[in-house]
Amino acid sequence: MQKNDELILKIEDMGVDGAGIGKSDGMTFFVKDAVIGDVVRAKIIKLKKTYGYARLMELLEASADRVEPNCPYYRQCGGCQIQALSYEKQLEFKENKVRNNLERIGGFTKIPMEPIVGMDEPYHYRNKAQFPVGTDKEGHIVTGFYAGRTHTIIPNRDCALGLPVNREILDIVIDFMEKYHISAYDEKTGKGLVRHILIRCGFSSQEKMVCLIINGKSLPHGEKLVEALRKIDGMTSISLNCNTERTNVILGHKTIVLWGQEYITDQIGDISYEISPVSFYQVNPVQTEVLYGLACEYAGLTGNETVWDLYCGIGTISLFLAGKAKQVYGVEIIPQAIEDARKNAEINGIENAEFYVGKAEEVLPDYYRKYETEHPGEHAHADVIVVDPPRKGCVQRLLETMVRMEAERIVYVSCDSATLARDLKYLCGNGYEMKKVRTVDMFPHTVHVETCVLLQRRTM
């Protein structure tokens, strides 16, 4: 076999990134945009020793589980990897991905998995979108999303996962830029003004935020843009975020309010949150309430517990837990997030939640060591530890401290089932038993899924 050879492949499985998997002459091939059950003609684009990558050239026989994607840019855009797969099969794929990682990486054989929680309406669920701004070959201003693994903008103002109001806002901003000759940023030259358009919407409050990320300190004729955007129902916050650095990082360090307030509010369950342009806040509030409700259920709180919430962000899970716990301690590395967490606790009248800035792998061990020093012969203890780390999972030092603190229950919320499996292997090898596992489909039509796990400390 050689590069550019064409193959007929029966797609029998899907990889973790959503690519279809087929075999030919003992070689495994990954084919983007092919789904389980398809028969395809594909061209080899890269060959390794035992596997390769191929491009879908023709769909010869469609899978019974293939559906027509809602978005015409599905294959070009890097946002949705599995929109051509029926939603029922998407859920099955995600559940199997988590189970397979727990078996293969974690070495678990008996996995207490509960059914995945899907969405009744798996479109238009995103409360936040960041649209890059650029120009096309004819010099027209465009916005949309990047093509997969590139920074080439696919012009699209009407994402199937975003809210319908996004298009109205984007039309206003682009019309304003064209009318007043406001330039789009060019990544290659570092010149041009408008880099991104950030839109956030409160699902419960219906409040709307628009923030232009600019390569400068001011926006010419900004009052005209404000005048147009204010006509949108629920518009609450219009701002600029200044980012003059040559970087792929979207947001800069300074935000200037053009009109309204710097934040919008939203509610998950009974808890209200203030959300600024730089706040971390889950993009799917419907499923976030499900996920956090599950974490609270697994925590099994009676009102007498001390809880540590690691990687707490703006305190979303912490504040959920505080209503049923004696005391909650939240830890997060981002100072702005902790500021938001403290403010959110205040606006909700929650007094039994404290928040610390720092790395969880430093704050918790330091607390443990300090407690032992001040209380000879005793160990720092937590009744429940909730951990919701980034994709890389927990570092060894943090896991070791969690084990030493002898919490009765650990609730592990994960966005990456591979690192989840690795960490669970350590925890279950050091005194804990996996009691419940449940996946929540936070990101329909993508390969990503959240998982919530309950670990119970074994009695010796």
Side-chain angles (χ1 to χ4, degrees):
M1 290 186 189
Q2 295 179 345
K3 184 179 176 181
N4 294 326
D5 281 356
E6 293 195 352
L7 310 165
I8 305 297
L9 296 171
K10 168 77 174 178
I11 305 301
E12 297 170 345
D13 200 354
M14 289 171 67
V16 292
D17 62 351
I21 297 174
K23 292 189 176 181
S24 179
D25 289 341
M27 288 276 288
T28 298
F29 286 93
F30 295 89
V31 186
K32 182 180 174 294
D33 303 319
V35 304
I36 298 171
D38 281 345
V39 178
V40 302
R41 180 170 61 85
K43 179 188 283 189
I44 299 173
I45 55 176
K46 187 185 287 186
L47 275 173
K48 299 288 186 178
K49 195 170 183 179
T50 58
Y51 66 94
Y53 297 91
R55 179 179 291 115
L56 176 62
M57 304 301 290
E58 184 181 0
L59 181 62
L60 300 176
E61 186 181 319
S63 165
D65 298 307
R66 175 176 278 277
V67 296
E68 187 63 34
N70 273 23
C71 177
Y73 303 99
Y74 158 70
R75 285 191 66 179
Q76 297 165 272
C77 176
C80 296
Q81 300 87 23
I82 53 175
Q83 202 179 126
L85 190 64
S86 72
Y87 188 56
E88 184 182 0
K89 272 289 178 182
Q90 287 184 31
L91 296 178
E92 186 181 308
F93 162 73
K94 292 182 182 189
E95 199 171 50
N96 286 339
K97 180 169 82 165
V98 173
R99 182 184 287 106
N100 290 341
N101 278 334
L102 291 175
E103 289 174 351
R104 185 174 54 84
I105 300 169
F108 298 102
T109 51
K110 294 180 180 178
I111 301 169
M113 287 196 78
E114 299 180 319
I116 187 171
V117 185
M119 295 192 75
D120 293 333
E121 175 47 62
Y123 288 98
H124 305 298
Y125 60 80
R126 288 187 62 96
N127 61 10
K128 174 188 175 185
Q130 297 173 142
F131 297 88
V133 180
T135 53
D136 62 16
K137 292 177 182 177
E138 287 74 41
H140 300 124
I141 296 172
V142 294
T143 187
F145 296 96
Y146 291 129
R149 297 186 178 90
T150 76
H151 271 218
T152 301
I153 297 173
I154 305 298
N156 176 17
R157 304 184 194 180
D158 194 15
C159 172
L161 304 189
L163 301 179
V165 73
N166 287 352
R167 171 151 204 154
E168 185 181 357
I169 291 169
L170 294 174
D171 287 349
I172 288 172
V173 175
I174 300 304
D175 287 349
F176 160 78
M177 291 178 65
E178 289 173 342
K179 183 175 180 179
Y180 292 99
H181 307 289
I182 307 294
S183 59
Y185 181 70
D186 185 333
E187 283 189 347
K188 293 176 183 174
T189 64
K191 296 180 180 179
L193 187 62
V194 180
R195 302 172 71 129
H196 281 79
I197 303 165
L198 183 152
I199 303 171
R200 301 189 98 144
C201 301
F203 266 46
S204 64
S205 67
Q206 293 301 303
E207 294 178 359
K208 297 173 181 66
M209 167 188 290
V210 178
C211 179
L212 266 60
I213 293 88
I214 60 170
N215 178 39
K217 297 179 181 178
S218 63
L219 179 68
H221 309 287
E223 72 283 356
K224 297 296 184 183
L225 178 62
V226 167
E227 187 182 326
L229 289 173
R230 282 181 61 182
K231 295 175 183 176
I232 294 175
D233 186 43
M235 187 58 64
T236 303
S237 173
I238 303 172
S239 62
L240 302 175
N241 177 270
C242 305
N243 183 357
T244 56
E245 297 180 18
R246 296 286 294 269
T247 175
N248 288 336
V249 176
I250 293 175
L251 289 164
H253 300 295
K254 184 178 180 182
T255 300
I256 303 166
V257 176
L258 294 180
W259 176 84
Q261 54 200 36
E262 190 177 345
Y263 61 87
I264 60 172
T265 58
D266 202 13
Q267 197 166 351
I268 299 177
D270 297 326
I271 308 295
S272 296
Y273 301 92
E274 289 185 0
I275 309 150
S276 73
V278 298
S279 294
F280 172 78
Y281 188 69
Q282 292 281 10
V283 299
N284 184 338
V286 174
Q287 293 295 81
T288 296
E289 186 166 353
V290 172
L291 181 66
Y292 292 173
L294 198 58
C296 285
E297 177 194 323
Y298 283 7
L301 302 176
T302 63
N304 300 312
E305 293 85 2
T306 297
V307 182
W308 281 83
D309 178 17
L310 309 177
Y311 308 96
C312 69
I314 63 168
T316 37
I317 294 183
S318 302
L319 302 184
F320 255 60
L321 298 168
K324 297 182 178 180
K326 180 182 177 183
Q327 181 68 43
V328 176
Y329 299 103
V331 182
E332 171 60 52
I333 192 173
I334 302 168
Q336 177 64 47
I338 288 296
E339 218 175 284
D340 289 344
R342 289 170 180 156
K343 194 185 298 180
N344 289 326
E346 187 180 334
I347 65 176
N348 286 282
I350 292 172
E351 298 179 348
N352 62 332
E354 292 181 34
F355 297 96
Y356 300 95
V357 177
K359 295 180 179 179
E361 60 267 28
E362 292 177 0
V363 172
L364 197 66
D366 287 351
Y367 166 82
Y368 183 85
R369 191 165 49 248
K370 184 180 177 184
Y371 188 95
E372 282 193 326
T373 302
E374 294 176 354
H375 303 82
E378 296 182 34
H379 296 296
H381 175 74
D383 297 296
V384 177
I385 295 175
V386 177
V387 59
D388 184 5
R391 293 196 181 283
K392 65 179 182 180
C394 300
V395 301
Q396 182 87 359
R397 187 183 178 202
L398 178 59
L399 294 173
E400 289 169 356
T401 306
M402 287 164 64
V403 168
R404 287 196 192 107
M405 290 184 77
E406 299 181 342
E408 286 303 311
R409 291 175 296 284
I410 295 175
V411 180
Y412 196 132
V413 179
S414 170
C415 60
D416 187 303
S417 57
T419 55
L420 168 69
R422 179 201 68 201
D423 292 350
L424 292 183
K425 184 177 184 179
Y426 177 87
L427 292 168
C428 290
N430 287 275
Y432 285 87
E433 182 181 355
M434 187 164 35
K435 286 293 188 181
K436 292 181 180 179
V437 180
R438 194 163 200 183
T439 48
V440 177
D441 189 24
M442 191 80 81
F443 314 103
H445 307 296
T446 78
V447 295
H448 306 295
V449 67
E450 296 276 334
T451 306
C452 190
V453 180
L454 169 61
L455 299 174
Q456 182 79 41
R457 186 166 170 265
R458 288 194 295 267
T459 51
M460 299 300 176

